[in-house]
Amino acid sequence: MPQQFIILIVAAVALLVIGGASFLSGRGSLDSIKSKPVGDGQHGTARWATPQEISKTFARVPFQPAQWRQGKELPRAQGLVLGSQGKKGKITALVDKDDIHCLMIGASGVGKTAFFLYPNLEYACACGMSFLALDTKGDLARNYGAIAQRCYGYAVSVIDLRNPTRSDGFNFLTLVNAYMDQAVAHPDNLAARAKAEKYAKILSKTIISPDGDSGSYGQNAFFVRP
């Protein structure tokens, strides 16, 4: 099954924790916090990571889109490109392989799309990750939809909320019809007939029952292929 690139930008989540002062008996205030060695009631520990810590945290992957688009030297480490090292033509991407969230914030024109989003889309295609992209202007569909499909073999689907009739569609009977065509062409192919019946049952149960198929995959049972 080909990887999926759905044009609808990788969403990111940030968690902001705000600490407040404790007020006891209605008489507490910020002035009651005793001074600490660093600041007034605060203690900071943030610092720049050392080269050794960077090496332990990130995977170093040569960033070679020209090679990747030809199917050569494809990276195996899946994750987010959060930085780079080296000079033009010899860039090494710093890839975080952990299960993380990332929030990218910058003023207009600083290069969020060109230097963060596009490299991550290229890397996601090269290492074979499926992803969902929110594309309000249509630039991603024009600039990377064709690349993902032509160079990396992705199944690109566009959901156009402005003009739904221009969206890509999906026929839920595709598998049923495909296996039935095989069974009709080759009556002795019992496996094809069984698969057609299997997907027809899964689809009907998913439509009729709000909980989906009774199997372990629930509503995703139709899309989980053997």
Side-chain angles (χ1 to χ4, degrees):
M1 179 178 180
Q3 294 83 3
Q4 299 294 313
F5 175 15
I6 302 178
I7 309 289
L8 242 185
I9 295 184
V10 176
V13 180
L15 181 62
L16 177 64
V17 180
I18 303 176
S22 298
F23 293 88
L24 301 178
S25 301
R27 299 192 304 174
S29 68
L30 294 177
D31 295 333
S32 66
I33 301 176
K34 296 181 180 180
S35 296
K36 301 283 182 70
V38 179
D40 189 17
Q42 303 173 11
H43 183 70
T45 59
R47 60 176 174 79
W48 293 106
T50 65
Q52 293 76 14
E53 290 172 334
I54 292 177
S55 297
K56 292 181 180 179
T57 304
F58 300 105
R60 297 174 180 268
V61 181
F63 198 80
Q64 308 176 94
Q67 296 288 326
W68 297 344
R69 293 182 185 184
Q70 298 177 22
K72 303 176 181 178
E73 305 295 333
L74 294 174
R76 295 184 178 181
Q78 295 189 347
L80 280 177
V81 178
L82 298 182
S84 64
Q85 294 177 334
K87 299 180 180 180
K88 185 177 181 180
K90 294 184 178 180
I91 298 295
T92 297
L94 300 178
V95 180
D96 195 328
K97 300 184 297 180
D98 291 337
D99 184 10
I100 63 169
H101 298 290
C102 176
L103 175 64
M104 175 62 175
I105 299 177
S108 178
V110 300
K112 299 184 298 296
T113 301
F115 297 104
F116 182 79
L117 178 59
Y118 282 171
N120 269 290
L121 289 181
E122 185 85 45
Y123 190 81
C125 290
C127 66
M129 293 194 300
S130 296
F131 55 93
L132 169 70
L134 305 179
D135 185 12
T136 57
K137 299 179 181 179
D139 292 342
L140 298 183
R142 289 189 295 269
N143 296 338
Y144 259 93
I147 293 175
Q149 194 169 27
R150 182 178 65 253
C151 301
Y152 297 105
Y154 269 63
V156 179
S157 302
V158 177
I159 302 176
D160 191 337
L161 299 181
R162 292 181 177 177
N163 188 349
T165 60
R166 296 171 55 185
S167 299
D168 290 325
F170 179 78
N171 184 0
F172 283 94
L173 292 175
T174 296
L175 290 176
V176 178
N177 293 336
Y179 286 121
M180 278 306 301
D181 289 343
Q182 295 179 23
V184 171
H186 304 281
D188 57 335
N189 189 346
L190 298 181
R193 186 176 298 275
K195 288 183 178 181
E197 183 179 351
K198 168 188 173 182
Y199 284 111
K201 288 182 177 179
I202 292 176
L203 181 59
S204 61
K205 288 182 179 179
T206 303
I207 294 174
I208 296 174
S209 173
D211 296 327
D213 184 69
S214 58
S216 59
Y217 296 110
Q219 292 181 339
N220 293 321
F222 182 81
F223 299 98
V224 179
R225 303 182 184 183

